[in-house]
Amino acid sequence: MTDAEYDPFGEQAVSSELAGVMPVEFVAFHSQNHVAYLEYAHLELGGDAAPVVVEDVFIFLLAVWPDALQEANLQAFAWAQLREHVERYRARQVVPVALVDTARYAALRRGSRRQLELIESRSGVYEAIAELPDRHYDVVLLTYLMGLETPEVAQRMGIAVGTVRSHLHTARRMLAKKIGIDLNPGEEKDL
């Protein structure tokens, strides 16, 4: 496969040989979350590191799967593991947050005129996003850069829909202040 054919966001299922020996719940969890985790890691670390880190996350989750199933909120537990693995990788490799470069790539990749306009007209927005507190950062990243709807963000992070909305509202205000824009009511999705 050439570099031009490589799609880091392509569907990657557990191979049929491995699926037969893995717990069926794990295989389903992997299928439901792999692409989103890969996209998040790509935005955080860049393309080369993302598959490695996400594979490490799923290997870890498989190793602790019986205990993970006992967690009060499996999605929240797994999301915390993803964040921890990303941070550990970044610390080991001295990797800066890749959001600025990878977000521009993602916007170009999706061909979204609106996202390209935001990059041009609101320079500094990605840098400001990178400075948000962890939960606000994740919610903004998943909502605005990955294009997930509020219920899906809540499901991925293992938090309530109302909490996602609250984090978005707070992050929106923090970002507006940081980049010096005035927001009118109803501009939630435009930031």
Side-chain angles (χ1 to χ4, degrees):
M1 179 181 324
T2 68
D3 286 340
E5 296 169 345
Y6 177 65
D7 180 8
F9 303 106
E11 295 291 330
Q12 181 177 343
V14 175
S15 72
S16 58
E17 299 86 36
L18 291 176
V21 296
M22 292 182 185
V24 70
E25 299 91 353
F26 178 81
V27 173
F29 181 85
H30 181 280
S31 296
Q32 292 171 345
N33 293 287
H34 183 266
V35 172
Y37 282 22
L38 186 60
E39 207 170 27
Y40 177 84
H42 177 76
L43 287 171
E44 284 289 295
L45 301 170
D48 294 338
V52 172
V53 171
V54 171
E55 182 177 337
D56 287 348
V57 170
F58 282 107
I59 289 170
F60 172 81
L61 290 172
L62 181 59
V64 300
W65 192 246
D67 294 328
L69 289 175
Q70 299 303 312
E71 290 289 326
N73 187 326
L74 176 60
Q75 288 290 353
F77 174 76
W79 188 259
Q81 298 310 311
L82 174 63
R83 283 195 57 80
E84 185 177 316
H85 278 76
V86 165
E87 288 304 318
R88 261 190 287 174
Y89 182 88
R90 185 179 292 124
R92 278 193 321 264
Q93 303 297 321
V94 191
V95 176
V97 174
L99 172 66
V100 175
D101 294 328
T102 58
R104 287 187 177 122
Y105 168 76
L108 289 169
R109 187 176 159 281
R110 289 186 179 97
S112 169
R113 183 179 305 274
R114 180 71 180 133
Q115 286 182 319
L116 290 173
E117 289 170 2
L118 282 175
I119 290 169
E120 296 302 319
S121 69
R122 296 182 185 165
S123 62
V125 73
Y126 292 115
E127 291 85 354
I129 291 170
E131 295 173 7
L132 288 171
D134 289 347
R135 288 281 181 125
H136 296 93
Y137 173 84
D138 287 350
V139 168
V140 167
L141 194 76
L142 292 170
T143 302
Y144 297 117
L145 298 177
M146 290 175 59
L148 302 179
E149 295 296 324
T150 302
E152 191 173 1
V153 172
Q155 187 271 332
R156 293 268 181 237
M157 291 180 65
I159 59 178
V161 170
T163 303
V164 172
R165 288 186 184 122
S166 175
H167 286 332
L168 282 174
H169 179 76
T170 302
R172 185 173 143 273
R173 295 286 176 214
M174 292 169 79
L175 290 171
K177 183 177 180 182
K178 181 81 172 171
I179 61 178
I181 61 173
D182 292 323
L183 294 178
N184 298 318
E187 288 183 326
E188 190 75 30
K189 283 296 226 181
D190 292 339
L191 185 60

